[in-house]
Amino acid sequence: MARKLKIGVVGAAGRMGRMLVRQAGENRDCALAGATERPDSEAVGQDAGMLAGIGEIGVAVGDDAAAMIAHVDAVIDFTAPGATVAHAALAAQAGAAMVIGTTGLADSHMEALRRAARHVPVVVAPNMSAGVTLLMALVEQVARTLDDTYDIEIFEMHHRHKVDAPSGTALGLGRAAAAGRDVDLDAVARMAREGHTGARPRGEIGFATLRGGDVVGDHTVVFAGDGERIELTHKASSRQVFAAGAVRAALWTRGKPPGLYAMRDVLGLKA
Ligand code: NAD
């Protein structure tokens, strides 16, 4: 049996960080080899397993990312863009793979990640769920198969605390639909409707947003034609799916050449 992949989790006290510690601890193909936080975090010095609610695992949360990254095979990062870029540079130096779930990455951050990806495999995905990754591929395929007599509408629902709309995943689904039709999403997107909107233009891709309760994330893509309608839906009921996807991505990087990868690559959905 191959030796266990040594995983390091940065931002280990965050909502996702704790889930990643739990997920890495439960997967028999990997071992949690290190965990870090911001130097000013109260979590520094505490046992990562205790923070994650799985009991003591003998891995203390450190504040020295460079030292931690130097002795792991793969780093999982769900933190913030600036921190992610710094961690990626350290991983490139140390020869560790990076799995990045951090969202809100600007072009300048992506440029820095591409630089790191010249040296190590870097997987970046704003949604690490296997189900959503598959949904994106299916949406692209359906959009490519059907012509624009089928109207594409995308709606999503998230918990009441979410501050941005539409969700990054809804936009990603829009991009997948636009790619299937060979059009630019910005040119055809209708982000919201109100008042006298006029008839729906052919080729438009519409978005609708619902907010409320504790909904983790629901997304539906509708292809509405004359006489029939196809609806593709994904519902996340736990954030654990994102952590599971990230650990799966980390295991997938083993033996891969340097490069920038997406979850579609991890799932084998790209030619
Ligand atoms: P959070 O605020 O609970 O956790 C972020 C953690 O990162 C915090 O504990 C913070 O102290 C830590 N951090 C920040 N800077 C750091 C640094 N320099 N070194 C070490 N640690 C540092 O947020 P969260 O809900 O866990 O989300 C984190 C990120 O993951 C966000 O960008 C969020 O949008 C994204 N996210 C992505 C997916 C996905 O599937 N890709 C799913 C959920 C959340």
Side-chain angles (χ1 to χ4, degrees), residues 10-17 36-39 41 78-81 83 87 100-104 125-129 239 242:
V10 290
R15 274 173 295 184
M16 284 305 302
T36 62
E37 255 299 334
R38 284 180 293 111
S41 165
F78 284 60
T79 59
H87 293 141
I100 297 168
T102 307
T103 59
N127 191 315
M128 291 263 171
S129 126
R239 289 162 67 97
F242 308 126

Side-chain angles (χ1 to χ4, degrees), residues 167-203:
S167 70
T169 300
L171 293 171
L173 290 166
R175 273 192 292 277
R181 279 195 172 164
D182 229 358
V183 296
D184 179 14
L185 179 64
D186 292 337
V188 296
R190 171 71 75 104
M191 291 303 175
R193 296 189 184 92
E194 195 191 28
H196 185 80
T197 58
R200 187 189 199 284
R202 187 166 168 158

Side-chain angles (χ1 to χ4, degrees), residues 10-11 35-37 39 62-72 75 83 86-87 90-91 94:
V10 290
T36 62
E37 255 299 334
D63 61 1
D64 186 346
M68 191 272 274
I69 290 171
H71 74 268
V72 299
V75 179
H87 293 141
L90 293 171

